[in-house]
Amino acid sequence: MGRHLLLPGLLLSLPLTVGWTTSNCLVTEGSQLRLVSYLSLCLDSSLSLLAACYSVTNLTQTLEAVPQNVDRFCLGGPASVLTPDAFFHLPDLKVLRLNLCLTLLPGALRGLGQLQKLSFLGLPLDDLFLPPDTFGDLSSLQYLAFWGFCLNGSSAVQLPPSLWHLSINSSCLQNVGKLVDIFLDLVVGPSSGDAWTLDMLDLSDNRQLKMASPALQGLKLRTLNLAHTKMKAAVMGLGLQRLDALSVVFTDTAELPAGVVAHFELQELNLKFTQVGYISLEALASCRSLSNLILQSSRLTDLPQGFLAALPRLQRLNLSNNQLWSTMLCPNETGAVSGLWFLDLSNTGLRGLSPATFSCLPHLRKLQLQRNQLVWLEGQVFQGLRRLEVLDLGKNPLTSLGAGWLFPLPALITRNLLYTHKVLSPAWDFWGPENLHNLKLQLSSGSSGAALSLPTKLTSLELHAVPGRKLWKLASPVFPVLQNLTLNGWGLQLETPNVTKIFPALRQLSLLDNSLEALCSQDTPNLFHCLHPMLQYLRVEGNGHNPRPCCITGLPSLQELQVGRLQPPARPRQLPMLLEELVGELPRLQVLRLATGLETLSAAAFQGLGHLQVLVLDWETSLVLDGGLQAHSAQMPQHMYILRSSLACQCANAWVGPWLEWSSRTYMHIQSHQLCQSEAGGCRKKSLFTFLWSHCPKTLGLELFLGSSALLFLLISLPLLQEARNSWILYLQALFRAWLQDLRGQRSEGKRFLHDVYVSHCRQDQAWVVQELLPTLEGRLGLRLCFPERDFEPGKDVADNVAESVASSRVMLSVLCHQALHTPRCRLELHLATSLLLTATPPPPVMLLVFLEPVSRYPPRYHKLAWLLRRGDYCVWRKEDERKDDFWGWLGSRLEQAGLG
């Protein structure tokens, strides 16, 4: 992902609003995800807080740094081991995507009770072992996907009862029957014994996949995806109890799988990118159950007569990207009516449409005819399509449309006539569809002062003009409900002061391509001063040849502004393009995205942007952040994304790196890993901030400041070292003395121990030791106990007393509670016992643990100790009288095994 900067110390003290950064990670709100488009493949804008971390080398550190309330988490990097409870501090996760070469330990996904989607991505044929209870805690899991991993080593893995989607793609799976070995629940249900019901089983991209009959006996499927496989008609032999939809995209299927359709009574069939070529009526006779048929790019050249009549339930039909040339879906002699409501005939080479082409489709609501060779349309071609809502005729060489061609379409809502050759005339209008709300239209040349008649009830209008043509006037003086206007090229003759009167409800405006030539003209008022005061979204994209920057200002309600391609001709270096030249007073602006050739960013640019929260710099090269921004941090936006942009390798940017480390307001994300040339003519390069740190003399004062701060911190910390002596320093001393005693042979075979049992406890548990433990072990069993408060040699160092007493005792008995785990001497004794267990020669020393209160989990420093102890080496003290006998029985048994019976 490139370079990202961590703001230490702020992650817990500051609330997360839109963005947050840490090493190799980006965390952002879903509502702002579209501003960081390169993450769209990983993240889902429907969730609230999203995180993506790539090139992760320290998995533990990364997981600890991610905020606890993230909803979706994408994690990528080299080989990693997921330890138990790896995601325990992320209880709100709903989507988890792991792009790692993984080793999963039992319990790695424990604590993710709200997780709904889980994906594993690896290199092709990477091995992934799934313990049987891997998904045991994922009670809400609905979606489970594996890409690239080989799961052959796994068996009897339990699937969550809530699962409805299972994907295994690009794996080493060769036999469908292997799925049953891996996921036994597929054929034996999770509770009732019935087979599972899945909405989707995706086995695509398994090139060697073969059928094993009946591999999936009794399984109920909504959809089976076999894209890029060689299964084809073998589906009938799988033993499926139910199948509603089948996808065989990118297979060598050469004919309609009529037998499969008839066997399962399929409702949906996807034959996209296949070799079908021809469909016979005999095959269609077995496909009467189909409601959705996709034949896109299936090499069709013709359709049999009576095609739609043979499919009485068909509602959606996609015939795009086939060379049909002409089509006769509705033969005149039959008079049959189809229930089809979606038809895609785009890019099929159609050259003409007869009046009866759609006569049998009275229920059609969406018709796609773009990218064909249609030159003219008769006036009655759409006769009978009274329910049609969407019509797309874009990218056709249309030159003529029959008179009244829109009158048969009263329900039309959206129409696209972009990139056609239709010549508009002042007499030509759009009357007919009363509900037409969305219109996309190509403006051709018009006579001087020609008026364009458009429906006045439009809510969205997109006009594309041809450069250099004469301007059109609008016949209607007002569009009262138009909210979204896009002008690609300046094709309208608008009087700037009247813009608000013409579009009183305008909320979103996009001015694209060469439209800025009119906006920036010296002879006309600034359009932005005359726009509607309620405008909330503005996108301005120039053509890269504007004579001067346009200052966008005077829009009191504007919340988001995107400006791009405003690069003017070459300007002197002493006059770089400034943000304040482009953006003026916009008091409510929250999001600003720039791709303008900006060269310098200074504090003056934010004076009129008091509510700016997000700044995105895209395609800005050699950007200089003026040092004056340090003194105006309060005016900076809270979140800055530097995407396909770069900071200049100049000392003017030397302050940026240190400033980001202590800034309490601004978070910055730098996508690219920028390198700077170390020496003139040299080949060695350094990262941006490393280069600036080492080459810029202005950083010397900062280095001195940081050095003096470190020295001051060390002096302040000296008094604390005395307290530290009671913990790790004492542990090192005790371990060294224990090693010396072992070296001298004090633990050799036949040695006489001074004590039978060494008792470790904290002050809080002293009463229990004196009243319960000592009377039993010394009184009833006659053992010699080493009780620190009684038997430690007065005046001797604590570390010496502990090391000698532990080494001269047959058994160490540690009495634990929450307080004991935080007591320095108890921690010292536990660490020392752990080291002795690891380094001792046979016979190893015996260590027993007694818990006076439940301790749910060992702190991380005691994981190694817990791993060393056998299950029978610890017990919990119960206060109930009837349970005490069990405890003393256990303790007596373990002491007897240690030779103290």
Side-chain angles (χ1 to χ4, degrees):
M1 178 175 297
R3 181 175 180 83
H4 307 268
L5 299 175
L6 171 64
L7 307 179
L10 301 177
L11 305 182
L12 298 178
S13 60
L14 293 180
L16 288 173
T17 54
V18 177
W20 168 87
T21 52
T22 186
S23 179
N24 295 331
C25 295
L26 173 66
V27 176
T28 184
E29 282 188 359
S31 60
Q32 303 297 346
L33 181 61
R34 55 190 174 81
L35 300 173
V36 196
S37 57
Y38 71 98
L39 285 177
S40 298
L41 295 177
C42 169
L43 302 179
D44 185 353
S45 60
S46 65
L47 299 176
S48 57
L49 193 60
L50 319 169
C53 301
Y54 294 109
S55 302
V56 174
T57 56
N58 191 324
L59 185 60
T60 302
Q61 180 180 358
T62 300
L63 292 176
E64 291 176 352
V66 174
Q68 295 186 7
N69 56 337
V70 293
D71 292 315
R72 176 159 187 163
F73 187 26
C74 299
L75 185 62
S80 299
V81 177
L82 286 183
T83 57
D85 302 319
F87 302 97
F88 192 81
H89 77 293
L90 303 176
D92 297 331
L93 267 186
K94 294 181 176 60
V95 180
L96 177 60
R97 180 185 174 112
L98 300 173
N99 192 357
L100 303 161
C101 182
L102 278 177
T103 299
L104 281 176
L105 297 183
L109 302 177
R110 192 161 47 218
L112 298 179
Q114 298 188 38
L115 192 67
Q116 299 175 6
K117 294 185 178 181
L118 175 61
S119 302
F120 296 89
L121 289 83
L123 297 175
L125 305 183
D126 276 353
D127 289 326
L128 176 62
F129 174 74
L130 301 175
D133 61 344
T134 299
F135 312 113
D137 286 354
L138 308 185
S139 57
S140 302
L141 191 67
Q142 302 174 7
Y143 178 102
L144 178 61
F146 302 89
W147 190 95
F149 283 111
C150 182
L151 305 177
N152 285 345
S154 306
S155 63
V157 179
Q158 299 176 2
L159 294 174
S162 56
L163 191 72
W164 57 263
H165 182 119
L166 177 61
S167 295
I168 301 178
N169 312 123
S170 300
S171 70
C172 62
L173 189 65
Q174 298 182 5
N175 192 317
V176 180
K178 184 62 179 177
L179 283 177
V180 180
D181 297 332
I182 300 174
F183 304 108
L184 185 61
D185 293 336
L186 281 178
V187 293
V188 179
S191 58
S192 63
D194 297 331
W196 207 288
T197 299
L198 288 178
D199 188 76
M200 165 69 80
L201 177 59
D202 186 353
L203 301 177
S204 59
D205 294 297
N206 292 295
R207 305 302 178 111
Q208 306 300 321
L209 187 63
K210 299 178 182 179
M211 186 270 293
S213 177
L216 304 177
Q217 184 68 40
L219 179 63
K220 299 177 184 179
L221 285 181
R222 168 72 178 84
T223 302
L224 176 60
N225 186 359
L226 296 176
H228 290 285
T229 67
K230 300 179 181 180
M231 292 283 293
K232 295 186 293 187
V235 175
M236 287 190 294
L238 291 176
L240 297 174
Q241 183 176 342
R242 169 190 160 190
L243 182 62
D244 296 335
L246 175 64
S247 175
V248 287
V249 175
F250 282 107
T251 64
D252 56 357
T253 301
E255 61 182 10
L256 195 69
V260 177
V261 177
H263 179 78
F264 292 105
E265 295 186 352
L266 289 182
Q267 300 176 24
E268 299 180 19
L269 179 61
N270 190 347
L271 296 171
K272 183 178 179 180
F273 294 104
T274 57
Q275 314 293 322
V276 173
Y278 173 75
I279 298 177
S280 66
L281 281 177
E282 291 78 8
L284 288 176
S286 302
C287 301
R288 298 176 62 85
S289 60
L290 287 177
S291 62
N292 185 5
L293 178 58
I294 301 176
L295 293 167
Q296 177 183 347
S297 303
S298 58
R299 300 194 177 186
L300 289 176
T301 57
D302 195 11
L303 295 177
Q305 192 171 7
F307 178 84
L308 290 180
L311 302 172
R313 300 182 183 178
L314 196 63
Q315 297 180 357
R316 296 176 58 91
L317 177 61
N318 187 340
L319 296 170
S320 61
N321 296 334
N322 289 290
Q323 296 302 315
L324 296 177
W325 305 107
S326 63
T327 181
M328 186 59 67
L329 291 173
C330 301
N332 294 329
E333 62 273 11
T334 63
V337 173
S338 172
L340 199 69
W341 63 266
F342 172 86
L343 177 60
D344 191 345
L345 291 171
S346 59
N347 196 28
T348 54
L350 293 177
R351 298 181 180 275
L353 297 174
S354 66
T357 301
F358 309 114
S359 60
C360 65
L361 304 176
H363 303 286
L364 197 64
R365 296 201 297 268
K366 186 172 183 179
L367 179 58
Q368 306 277 74
L369 292 172
Q370 67 270 26
R371 299 194 309 276
N372 281 300
Q373 302 300 316
L374 298 175
V375 178
W376 60 275
L377 293 176
E378 295 186 13
Q380 302 301 314
V381 69
F382 300 116
Q383 188 71 33
L385 301 183
R386 300 188 61 81
R387 297 185 181 182
L388 191 68
E389 298 176 354
V390 178
L391 174 61
D392 195 336
L393 291 168
K395 298 184 179 179
N396 277 285
L398 284 172
T399 58
S400 177
L401 295 172
W405 70 285
L406 282 177
F407 279 101
L409 306 174
L412 194 65
I413 295 176
T414 301
R415 206 194 69 170
N416 181 9
L417 279 173
L418 291 179
Y419 307 108
T420 64
H421 298 169
K422 178 70 184 71
V423 178
L424 303 181
S425 65
W428 189 68
D429 58 43
F430 292 86
W431 303 118
E434 300 178 357
N435 297 318
L436 187 62
H437 297 318
N438 306 312
L439 177 62
K440 297 181 180 181
L441 183 64
Q442 181 88 20
L443 292 176
S444 58
S445 61
S447 58
S448 179
L452 179 63
S453 180
L454 298 175
T456 58
K457 294 183 179 180
L458 290 175
T459 59
S460 177
L461 174 62
E462 183 173 344
L463 299 176
H464 288 221
V466 179
R469 303 296 178 89
K470 295 181 180 180
L471 302 180
W472 287 80
K473 290 184 177 180
L474 291 174
S476 175
V478 61
F479 293 83
V481 294
L482 188 71
Q483 298 182 7
N484 191 343
L485 175 62
T486 299
L487 299 177
N488 193 323
W490 198 252
L492 292 180
Q493 183 177 346
L494 295 174
E495 296 181 3
T496 303
N498 295 330
V499 172
T500 302
K501 297 180 180 179
I502 300 173
F503 308 111
L506 193 63
R507 295 295 182 270
Q508 299 186 29
L509 175 62
S510 298
L511 304 173
L512 311 178
D513 201 20
N514 63 341
S515 56
L516 291 180
E517 294 179 1
L519 301 180
C520 298
S521 173
Q522 299 279 4
D523 302 325
T524 59
N526 192 320
L527 173 67
F528 302 112
H529 287 287
C530 306
L531 289 177
H532 197 280
M534 299 304 293
L535 190 70
Q536 299 176 359
Y537 172 89
L538 177 61
R539 178 186 174 193
V540 179
E541 295 283 345
N543 58 6
H545 300 288
N546 297 311
R548 64 186 179 91
C550 292
C551 186
I552 303 173
T553 185
L555 300 173
S557 300
L558 193 67
Q559 298 179 12
E560 182 171 340
L561 173 61
Q562 298 190 25
V563 184
R565 300 187 65 203
L566 296 185
Q567 300 170 347
R571 308 174 67 182
R573 292 185 178 180
Q574 62 270 24
L575 295 175
M577 179 179 285
L578 303 175
L579 180 59
E580 50 266 37
E581 293 180 311
L582 305 176
V583 180
E585 189 73 21
L586 300 172
R588 295 188 180 179
L589 190 68
Q590 298 179 9
V591 178
L592 176 59
R593 181 166 189 160
L594 300 174
T596 60
L598 194 68
E599 299 178 17
T600 302
L601 187 63
S602 63
F606 302 106
Q607 291 181 356
L609 307 176
H611 286 79
L612 188 64
Q613 298 180 6
V614 182
L615 174 61
V616 181
L617 301 176
D618 205 356
W619 295 111
E620 315 293 337
T621 58
S622 299
L623 182 66
V624 174
L625 302 182
D626 187 82
L629 291 170
Q630 298 182 77
H632 296 82
S633 294
Q635 300 178 15
M636 293 279 288
Q638 295 181 4
H639 313 279
M640 292 179 60
Y641 300 98
I642 299 180
L643 302 182
R644 290 160 290 191
S645 303
S646 61
L647 298 181
C649 296
Q650 301 177 14
C651 290
N653 285 327
W655 66 274
V656 177
W659 172 72
L660 288 173
E661 294 183 3
W662 58 261
S663 172
S664 60
R665 174 177 173 84
T666 300
Y667 300 83
M668 182 179 291
H669 168 77
I670 302 178
Q671 175 185 347
S672 60
H673 186 68
Q674 186 177 345
L675 298 177
C676 299
Q677 197 77 31
S678 298
E679 299 178 359
C683 299
R684 187 177 179 183
K685 295 183 178 181
K686 294 182 178 180
S687 62
L688 173 64
F689 292 109
T690 301
F691 170 83
L692 296 177
W693 183 269
S694 58
H695 284 72
C696 297
K698 291 184 179 181
T699 62
L700 179 59
L702 181 61
E703 293 176 0
L704 293 176
F705 169 76
L706 294 178
S708 60
S709 299
L711 179 60
L712 180 61
F713 176 77
L714 180 61
L715 294 175
I716 295 176
S717 302
L718 285 178
L720 302 178
L721 294 180
Q722 179 63 30
E723 177 65 22
R725 185 178 181 276
N726 294 326
S727 56
W728 61 273
I729 293 180
L730 289 178
Y731 163 66
L732 293 178
Q733 288 181 346
L735 183 60
F736 178 71
R737 283 173 169 76
W739 174 77
L740 286 178
Q741 293 172 1
D742 184 68
L743 188 65
R744 295 168 182 170
Q746 293 186 23
R747 298 193 61 88
S748 58
E749 186 175 0
K751 168 197 168 183
R752 179 179 177 84
F753 290 98
L754 298 179
H755 308 284
D756 293 321
V757 180
Y758 176 83
V759 181
S760 171
H761 67 282
C762 67
R763 186 178 301 275
Q764 175 182 323
D765 302 326
Q766 184 172 338
W768 181 86
V769 173
V770 174
Q771 297 172 12
E772 297 282 352
L773 188 66
L774 291 182
T776 301
L777 298 187
E778 290 187 337
R780 290 171 49 189
L781 300 180
L783 301 179
R784 293 168 298 171
L785 269 61
C786 179
F787 184 52
E789 284 75 3
R790 182 189 66 187
D791 300 320
F792 272 7
E793 182 178 343
K796 182 179 287 190
D797 188 83
V798 174
D800 292 338
N801 268 319
V802 171
E804 293 178 2
S805 299
V806 171
S808 60
S809 300
R810 291 181 180 273
V811 176
M812 177 177 173
L813 181 63
S814 182
V815 180
L816 295 180
C817 63
H818 289 286
Q819 181 65 30
L821 295 177
H822 296 85
T823 301
R825 195 189 73 196
C826 292
R827 292 203 307 264
L828 169 65
E829 292 165 349
L830 285 174
H831 283 306
L832 181 59
T834 302
S835 302
L836 292 175
L837 286 173
L838 287 171
T839 59
T841 57
V846 177
M847 182 174 181
L848 303 177
L849 298 182
V850 174
F851 292 98
L852 296 187
E853 59 185 12
V855 179
S856 59
R857 179 182 298 122
Y858 290 103
R861 62 173 61 93
Y862 300 117
H863 279 167
K864 187 180 297 183
L865 176 61
W867 174 72
L868 287 172
L869 292 174
R870 297 189 299 274
R871 185 175 181 84
D873 290 338
Y874 61 90
C875 188
V876 179
W877 167 259
R878 304 296 182 182
K879 297 181 180 180
E880 299 84 358
D881 293 337
E882 63 273 11
R883 306 283 301 270
K884 291 182 180 180
D885 291 339
D886 296 336
F887 172 80
W888 294 120
W890 165 81
L891 184 58
S893 174
R894 293 299 292 118
L895 293 175
E896 184 177 355
Q897 294 176 16
L900 298 178

